[in-house]
Amino acid sequence: MKKLLYIFSIILFTACSKTLEEVPIDRLSEENFYQTAQDAETAVNAIYAPFRELGYYGGFYMLLTESCSDYANGRGSFGPVSEYNGLDGANIGRAETIWRFAYQSILRANIVLERVPPITMDDNKKNEILAEARFLRALAYFDLVRNWGGVPLRQSSNDPTDLPRSTEQEVYNLIIADLNTGIANLPTVPAIPGRPTVGAAKTLLAYVYLTLENWEQARNLAKEVMEEGIYQLVPVSTVNDFEKVFGADVVTSSEDIFSFKYSSSGGLGFQYLVYIHGENTLYAPFGFRTIYARETFPLIANWSDSDLRKEFNLYDSYIHRSTGALVQLPTNEPYQFRKFKDLASVAVDASANDMPVLRYADVLFIYAEAANQLEGGPSTEAYEALNKVRRRAYGLDVNTPNPQVDWAGLNQQSFRDAVFQERAYEFMVEGKRWNDLKRLGRDQVRAVIQSAKGKAVSDSHFLWPIPKVEMDNNNALNPSDQNPGY
């Protein structure tokens, strides 16, 4: 018996030792997960989850930036954002959440870039997945650099915690490199809607160059996308036709270049709707009215009633979904934003609308602005790009000139002003206006906000604070690295 127990103990010890030394095969681990093409797909899919969160593109990113625009005010806890004195505690917390989710996506992209190359699979598919990871990493860094300035540049899952701020140019260099890889390796047509394509990479890179005022590169890339003929504006003749672009039942459209996809089932809905609508509207359940417009804001006051986007975007009363009563919005907060709505939504996280990041209208506007800036004034082609979007807004054929609505007779500055105005109307509540204004320079931003709202914009309002947890735990940062005012 003693001999048997001794032999059994030796076998058990040997087995345990072997188990401790080997990679576990009975459960997932980072070491044994990345083995197949399906594993590579699963890994790249995981990059999307932080982007889609309420704390990022699911709501807060647009709410913070739209509260800074000249056509919307924040309400409730977002109200202080519209005072332009920097972020208060609650909104610092929201900005920190955006930072955290952006870096989560970056980390997951870095893991894909490290773990997928050794997998045995089709090389073309592998290159597509790696390019997809780079596209998403570039998008996250583009959001970070525009809203925080230079940030720690993390390009590996093994980067040390202590990493200094890179310069803005260094961040942009990585973004440009990642997007050029995307242009070389992404597919022309996505396997499923919501995946980036070569057109998406070209459009985002054109947007990056526009931000950097590299007019030639921005114009040329936008022109390439236009000439490929893959994307077109969806025709519109009535207000409701815009639902073919933004509606809850739309999977994709001819002008959808890249968007984050949401679903009405499984808690995967677009929560932004609950924040932009009134309480218990037909457009979304519940409702916080987080941002609102006033008729005194110049963009609202000067918006032609003939522009179909106006009725599509704004409402001043609604039918209460529970009582059926007509609810009039308060006189000091008279307009809510209607662009995103889902009449079938029954819960906070059950709206099926998608969040558009890049649309064909982006391409046309980028081309028009960049060509105008590069060429010293608007060319026939620049006018045509701008006017296509405007004609669509008035329910007209986009390819047929119409002197009743077409912009004409403008100089370089007034043409750029027209582009910015059309961008404001076209991309209303899509989270682009504040960063558009910042491209004009701080003095111009101050002039626009002063004219629209009578508010002075402090220096601290142009960049968000680096999160306290980053300042505390990253020993390569010191107090002088914090953005002004925080």
Side-chain angles (χ1 to χ4, degrees):
M1 181 64 68
K2 287 183 180 179
K3 285 183 179 179
L4 288 174
L5 290 173
Y6 178 71
I7 293 169
F8 178 75
S9 65
I10 291 175
I11 294 171
L12 181 62
F13 176 78
T14 303
C16 290
S17 298
K18 185 175 181 181
T19 301
L20 291 173
E21 291 172 0
E22 288 187 348
V23 174
I25 61 174
D26 62 337
R27 60 187 182 275
L28 287 176
S29 72
E30 190 171 341
E31 288 76 13
N32 67 14
F33 176 73
Y34 304 96
Q35 301 293 326
T36 67
Q38 183 58 50
D39 295 339
E41 288 273 6
T42 301
V44 79
N45 288 344
I47 305 172
Y48 289 85
F51 280 108
R52 297 175 66 258
E53 289 280 354
L54 170 63
Y56 199 178
Y57 276 92
F60 285 178
Y61 182 64
M62 282 82 69
L63 293 168
L64 271 183
T65 54
E66 292 294 341
S67 295
C68 297
S69 73
D70 53 333
Y71 56 67
N73 267 346
R75 182 177 176 275
S77 62
F78 282 87
V81 180
S82 299
E83 296 301 317
Y84 300 93
N85 290 320
L87 300 185
D88 65 322
N91 290 296
I92 286 174
R94 289 168 176 138
E96 289 178 345
T97 300
I98 295 168
W99 171 288
R100 175 163 55 87
F101 283 134
Y103 272 110
Q104 280 185 12
S105 290
I106 289 166
L107 172 62
R108 294 180 184 188
N110 289 338
I111 290 172
V112 169
L113 295 173
E114 293 163 3
R115 297 288 182 169
V116 169
I119 294 177
T120 300
M121 60 183 292
D122 179 78
D123 284 342
N124 289 332
K125 185 60 179 175
K126 180 188 294 186
N127 288 335
E128 283 184 15
I129 286 174
L130 296 174
E132 186 172 354
R134 289 185 181 275
F135 173 89
L136 294 169
R137 183 171 74 171
L139 177 59
Y141 272 125
F142 191 38
D143 292 337
L144 287 168
V145 73
R146 288 181 297 166
N147 292 290
W148 279 273
V151 296
L153 205 54
R154 301 189 179 277
Q155 303 179 64
S156 166
S157 63
N158 297 314
D159 280 338
T161 300
D162 301 334
L163 203 63
R165 288 185 78 167
S166 295
T167 65
E168 289 188 22
Q169 188 57 57
E170 288 169 335
V171 178
Y172 276 113
N173 287 345
L174 179 63
I175 293 170
I176 292 167
D178 278 350
L179 293 175
N180 276 321
T181 299
I183 291 171
N185 294 286
L186 285 169
T188 302
V189 179
I192 58 173
R195 297 284 197 183
T197 60
V198 60
K202 286 182 177 181
T203 303
L204 184 54
L205 185 53
Y207 196 3
V208 170
Y209 281 131
L210 191 78
T211 304
L212 295 173
E213 297 188 351
N214 185 331
W215 309 121
E216 183 173 14
Q217 293 277 29
R219 180 199 64 179
N220 292 348
L221 282 164
K223 184 67 171 176
E224 287 180 24
V225 178
M226 292 161 63
E227 290 179 339
E228 285 163 0
I230 297 173
Y231 307 102
Q232 299 292 333
L233 295 175
V234 171
V236 166
S237 58
T238 69
V239 172
N240 287 336
D241 284 340
F242 280 108
E243 291 296 327
K244 299 173 185 177
V245 180
F246 303 103
D249 60 346
V250 173
V251 176
T252 188
S253 73
S254 62
E255 66 181 81
D256 178 16
I257 295 180
F258 182 75
S259 56
F260 289 116
K261 302 297 180 180
Y262 291 88
S263 170
S264 60
S265 62
L268 300 175
F270 192 27
Q271 297 184 58
Y272 188 36
L273 275 69
V274 176
Y275 287 83
I276 61 176
H277 287 298
E279 179 185 2
N280 278 312
T281 67
L282 297 176
Y283 310 134
F286 313 111
F288 302 118
R289 294 201 296 115
T290 305
I291 53 175
Y292 65 92
R294 285 180 175 158
E295 68 278 2
T296 55
F297 299 159
L299 280 169
I300 304 299
N302 299 326
W303 202 351
S304 171
D305 290 339
S306 298
D307 187 334
L308 302 180
R309 295 173 299 191
K310 183 176 183 180
E311 182 179 341
F312 184 73
N313 274 279
L314 301 177
Y315 65 95
D316 60 5
S317 63
Y318 63 90
I319 302 298
H320 195 282
R321 78 160 53 196
S322 299
T323 67
L326 179 67
V327 179
Q328 190 71 37
L329 292 170
T331 55
N332 63 329
E333 300 170 0
Y335 294 113
Q336 296 300 136
F337 298 98
R338 185 163 39 199
K339 175 176 284 183
F340 299 107
K341 52 187 175 293
D342 185 353
L343 276 64
S345 180
V346 295
V348 171
D349 53 2
S351 298
N353 307 76
D354 298 330
M355 176 58 219
V357 179
L358 300 169
R359 299 196 276 118
Y360 188 57
D362 282 282
V363 176
L364 296 171
F365 285 139
I366 290 170
Y367 177 83
E369 182 183 350
N372 175 65
Q373 295 300 105
L374 178 66
E375 298 162 14
S379 62
T380 301
E381 292 78 11
Y383 270 120
E384 185 64 9
L386 175 61
N387 284 328
K388 280 186 176 182
V389 184
R390 186 167 170 84
R391 291 170 199 150
R392 196 266 293 268
Y394 284 78
L396 303 171
D397 178 69
V398 299
N399 295 312
T400 303
N402 189 308
Q404 297 299 314
V405 301
D406 284 1
W407 289 102
L410 305 177
N411 60 28
Q412 184 180 35
Q413 184 57 55
S414 58
F415 182 86
R416 195 183 191 202
D417 292 342
V419 172
F420 269 71
Q421 176 179 303
E422 293 300 324
R423 284 182 65 91
Y425 291 145
E426 181 69 23
F427 299 133
M428 188 165 282
V429 299
E430 293 180 43
K432 294 181 178 178
R433 180 62 174 175
W434 179 238
N435 282 314
D436 269 350
L437 290 176
K438 290 199 294 184
R439 291 196 291 111
L440 296 174
R442 294 191 175 191
D443 289 345
Q444 186 62 26
V445 171
R446 289 189 169 99
V448 168
I449 299 302
Q450 182 65 44
S451 174
K453 300 180 177 181
K455 303 285 186 181
V457 182
S458 67
D459 285 339
S460 61
H461 210 75
F462 288 98
L463 293 175
W464 295 338
I466 296 176
K468 185 176 185 298
V469 67
E470 184 76 23
M471 296 297 296
D472 289 346
N473 295 322
N474 184 345
N475 293 318
L477 300 179
N478 58 61
S480 66
D481 288 310
Q482 183 57 276
N483 285 326
Y486 298 100

